[in-house]
């Protein structure tokens, strides 16, 4: 069996711009959302930064994966427009911008829902495993307190996520608008 | 007798040396795994068919287990101050090559893409165990460790997504190779490593393939018939062009973007037939571009060159230039 040096499947174009933009968006979104989490949900600074980093990274991953799944399934016209925008920074027809706004709306609400569920998931994942309560009376009391706290948190988590997401998207939108000028 | 003791001494010397190199402190250790993998590699080289695959599978598993063990033993080296361990990167690479590699091309795009994610997951694994070596017990890591692991794995997954996007864009260029001849200097997103191709090869290929077909259609045709054909050229050439494009560019998605059209002008002695292959796909030029191959169609006294019996009177002769040339902008209007 002769050992062949494999031909590296290296690409001939590098989408560094896309990566830098994604990185910039994360850099903008994380501190804003961390600040909102810190002020509204009263996590300490370190914890809120952790939550902000994780919800943004994970929603970014989910977004990318959705793109990778959707991209080959797009209708040919749309795919061509996408390619045209990526390589030549312009669309071929002018029917695209309305569609773009629609997509942006879907992305916004999609990430909002996603971030909420990620945050809830992380809250569960990071809670200390409860030790089995020895005292049944104490257990009952504690349980009701915990239940009310969880209920309170649920609504405030939703609004906090919405505010954090809106603010970070506004910041990103402002950056994009500044670029167009 | 002296000779025998010498030989014996030499033999024990060698075994001692080998023992030193192949130092296996105990049977259940990472060295055992590495040696098992080397042994499996040799065996799979000798075997064939199903057995070969089975042995090489075992070899890979031993190699991965050995590397993972070696690199996580003791105090693992961290990768540039991150939580990623160098050992996990190496083990991740092995797992990735093993899981997604091919026999012919050892590295596939998936190997690269999933490497960071797998490495991240591997570096998180030791957090779930306490103790070293053979004395291990499972544990749920502390919340702080869990935070670090979540961020590590998530950032590794983002890296994987970025790598995947490299290959998505590369795939676009494979499906639409004519984009490679265009300029990407307006693009915010793309950096290219090679200079653009001078001519969109597919466009030139189509023109070169259509030329003999045209010659076949026109050569030795009665001149008046040829003129009639030329009057009707746009539908004739369009049809021929469609067939050629469909056949030649079968495997490319860009085939619907190439359109073949003729342009005919009168000259003193006959006609000038320009065949254009027009690019209608994405381009940096808003008016796009086209390739042109010029041919001249002229009347010729028949029966001179060939021995066709029915070629009498004046017949048509078509002469095309060898190459084709590229023009930016929209093609000239059709008459």
């Amino acid at each position: 069996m002769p050992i062949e040096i494999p031909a590296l499947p290296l690409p001939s174009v590098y989408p560094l711009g896309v990566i830098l933009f994604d990185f910039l968006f994360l850099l903008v979104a994380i501190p804003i959302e961390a600040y909102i989490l810190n002020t509204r949900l009263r996590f300490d600074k370190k914890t809120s930064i952790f939550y902000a980093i994780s919800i943004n990274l994970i929603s970014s991953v989910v977004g990318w994966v959705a793109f990778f799944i959707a991209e080959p399934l797009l209708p040919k016209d749309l795919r061509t427009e996408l390619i045209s925008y990526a390589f030549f920074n312009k669309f071929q027809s002018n029917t695209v911008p309305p569609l773009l706004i629609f997509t942006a709306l879907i992305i916004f609400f999609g990430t909002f829902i996603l971030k909420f569920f990620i945050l809830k998931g992380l809250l569960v994942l990071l809670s200390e495993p409860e030790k089995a309560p020895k005292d049944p009376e104490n257990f009952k009391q504690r349980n009701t307190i915990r239940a009310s706290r969880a209920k309170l948190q649920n609504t405030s988590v939703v609004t906090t996520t919405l505010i954090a997401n809106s603010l970070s998207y506004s910041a990103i939108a402002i950056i994009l608008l500044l670029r167009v000028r | 007798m002296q000779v025998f003791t010498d030989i014996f001494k030499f033999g024990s010397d060698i075994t001692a040396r080998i023992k030193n190199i192949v130092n296996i402190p105990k049977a259940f250790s990472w060295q055992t795994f590495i040696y098992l993998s080397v042994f499996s590699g040799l065996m799979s080289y000798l075997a064939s068919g199903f057995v070969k695959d089975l042995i090489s599978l075992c070899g890979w598993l031993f190699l991965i287990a050995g590397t993972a063990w070696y690199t996580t033993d003791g105090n693992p080296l961290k990768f540039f101050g991150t939580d990623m361990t160098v050992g996990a990167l190496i083990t991740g690479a092995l797992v990735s090559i093993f899981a997604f590699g091919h026999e012919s091309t050892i590295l596939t795009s998936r190997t690269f893409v999933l490497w960071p994610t797998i490495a991240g997951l591997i570096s998180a694994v030791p957090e779930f165990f306490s103790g070293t070596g053979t004395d291990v017990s499972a544990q749920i890591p502390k919340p702080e460790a869990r935070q670090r692991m979540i961020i590590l794995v998530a950032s590794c997954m983002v890296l994987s997504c970025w790598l995947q996007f490299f290959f998505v864009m590369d795939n676009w260029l494979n499906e639409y190779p004519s984009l490679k001849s265009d300029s990407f200097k307006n693009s915010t997103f793309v950096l290219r490593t090679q200079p653009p191709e001078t001519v969109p090869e597919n466009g030139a290929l189509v023109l070169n393939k259509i030329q003999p077909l045209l010659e076949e259609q026109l050569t030795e045709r009665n001149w008046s018939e040829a003129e009639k054909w030329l009057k009707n050229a746009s539908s004739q050439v369009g049809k021929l062009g469609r067939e050629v494009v469909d056949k030649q560019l079968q495997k490319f998605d860009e085939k619907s973007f190439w359109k073949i059209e003729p342009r005919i002008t009168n000259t003193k002695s006959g006609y000038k037939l320009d065949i254009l292959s027009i690019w209608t796909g994405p381009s940096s030029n808003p008016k796009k571009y086209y390739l042109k191959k010029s041919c001249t169609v002229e009347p010729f006294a028949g029966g001179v060159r060939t021995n066709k019996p029915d070629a009498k009177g004046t017949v048509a002769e078509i002469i095309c230039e060898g190459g084709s040339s590229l023009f930016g902008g929209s093609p000239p209007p059709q008459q």
Side-chain angles (χ1 to χ4, degrees), chain A residues 14 22 71 76 86 92 125, chain B residues 146 162 172 187 191 256 288:
Chain A
Y14 291 91
D22 194 25
E71 183 264 334
K76 196 165 185 226
Q92 286 201 286
L125 212 72
Chain B
R146 270 179 267 169
W162 290 348
W172 287 346
S187 172
L191 200 76
S256 57
K288 315 201 192 260

Side-chain angles (χ1 to χ4, degrees), chain B residues 65-83:
Chain B
T67 323
W69 191 339
Y70 172 57
T71 50
T72 48
D73 232 4
N75 187 21
L77 187 64
K78 295 281 163 102
F79 184 69
F80 290 114
T82 57
D83 285 325

Side-chain angles (χ1 to χ4, degrees), chain B:
Chain B
M1 257 336 194
Q2 183 64 28
V3 181
F4 282 113
T5 47
D6 270 2
I7 288 176
F8 183 74
K9 193 166 174 291
F10 181 67
S12 63
D13 241 27
I14 282 191
T15 42
R17 264 159 204 264
I18 290 176
K19 247 187 200 164
N20 241 340
I21 299 167
V22 194
N23 184 15
I24 303 179
K26 44 189 172 186
F28 195 60
S29 67
W30 62 267
Q31 282 97 333
T32 318
F33 278 111
I34 299 291
Y35 292 128
L36 277 174
S37 81
V38 171
F39 178 70
S40 313
L42 289 174
M43 287 295 108
S44 80
Y45 182 73
L46 299 174
S48 64
F50 167 70
V51 182
K52 184 190 178 101
D53 292 342
L54 191 72
I55 297 176
S56 76
L57 173 77
C58 291
W60 271 105
L61 293 180
F62 286 135
L63 180 63
I64 289 166
T67 323
W69 191 339
Y70 172 57
T71 50
T72 48
D73 232 4
N75 187 21
L77 187 64
K78 295 281 163 102
F79 184 69
F80 290 114
T82 57
D83 285 325
M84 174 74 84
T85 58
V86 174
L89 276 176
I90 297 167
T91 317
L94 286 177
V95 173
S96 199
I97 292 169
F98 163 66
F100 308 109
H102 247 267
E103 242 176 67
S104 49
T105 56
I106 296 172
L107 301 166
T108 58
S109 63
R110 205 163 281 180
T111 316
F112 284 103
V113 167
L114 290 171
W115 176 26
T117 301
I118 292 172
L121 289 173
I122 290 173
S123 5
V125 166
E127 302 278 354
F128 286 96
F129 300 98
S130 58
T132 51
T134 49
D135 176 34
V136 185
S137 61
Q139 61 167 19
I140 297 173
K142 291 192 190 71
E144 205 203 326
R146 270 179 267 169
Q147 289 189 358
R148 276 192 283 117
M149 276 157 40
I150 289 169
I151 290 185
L152 174 67
V153 173
S155 21
C156 287
M157 285 165 92
V158 171
L159 277 183
S160 285
C161 289
W162 290 348
L163 285 176
Q164 171 67 21
F165 192 65
F166 274 54
F167 291 101
V168 166
M169 280 207 131
D170 198 52
N171 187 34
W172 287 346
L173 283 188
N174 289 335
E175 286 172 11
Y176 301 86
S178 294
L179 294 176
K180 285 184 202 162
S181 65
D182 218 316
S183 139
F184 298 158
K185 69 176 194 299
N186 283 334
S187 172
T188 334
F189 304 120
V190 179
L191 200 76
R192 78 192 308 165
T193 47
Q194 298 149 358
E197 284 166 13
T198 44
V199 167
E201 268 166 35
N202 278 342
L205 174 80
V206 169
L207 286 184
N208 286 339
K209 291 289 175 188
I210 204 169
Q211 178 190 343
L213 296 178
L214 281 179
E215 284 169 353
E216 196 182 295
Q217 292 262 336
L218 279 171
T219 309
E220 300 293 334
R221 200 182 259 245
N222 197 309
W223 179 243
S224 58
E225 260 180 63
E227 280 186 306
K228 214 184 273 167
W229 191 94
L230 285 173
K231 277 212 181 76
N232 207 5
S234 57
S235 75
Q236 299 272 20
V237 173
K239 207 178 92 203
L240 270 181
R242 205 63 267 156
E243 282 167 18
V244 171
V245 168
D246 281 345
K247 192 163 160 249
Q248 297 296 328
L249 308 184
Q250 211 172 21
K251 60 175 195 269
F252 299 111
D253 276 14
E254 72 170 29
K255 66 167 184 270
S256 57
F257 291 141
W258 284 110
K259 211 167 72 190
I260 309 295
E261 280 180 16
R263 293 288 184 272
I264 294 160
T265 40
N266 289 313
T267 56
K268 253 183 273 169
S269 47
Y271 295 95
K272 183 159 166 276
L273 173 63
D274 291 335
I275 310 152
L276 314 179
S277 62
I278 304 163
W279 174 252
T280 58
S283 164
S284 61
N285 186 340
K287 294 190 165 164
K288 315 201 192 260
Y289 57 83
Y290 64 96
L291 283 121
K292 187 171 93 173
K293 191 192 256 299
S294 293
C295 302
T296 51
V297 185
E298 280 171 2
F300 200 81
V304 179
R305 287 209 181 167
T306 58
N307 42 17
K308 271 193 190 171
D310 58 336
K312 47 185 182 281
T314 12
V315 295
E317 192 189 42
I318 177 167
I319 299 164
C320 294
E321 61 180 12
S324 45
S325 29
L326 177 69
F327 297 89
S330 23
Q334 222 157 357
Q335 276 93 5

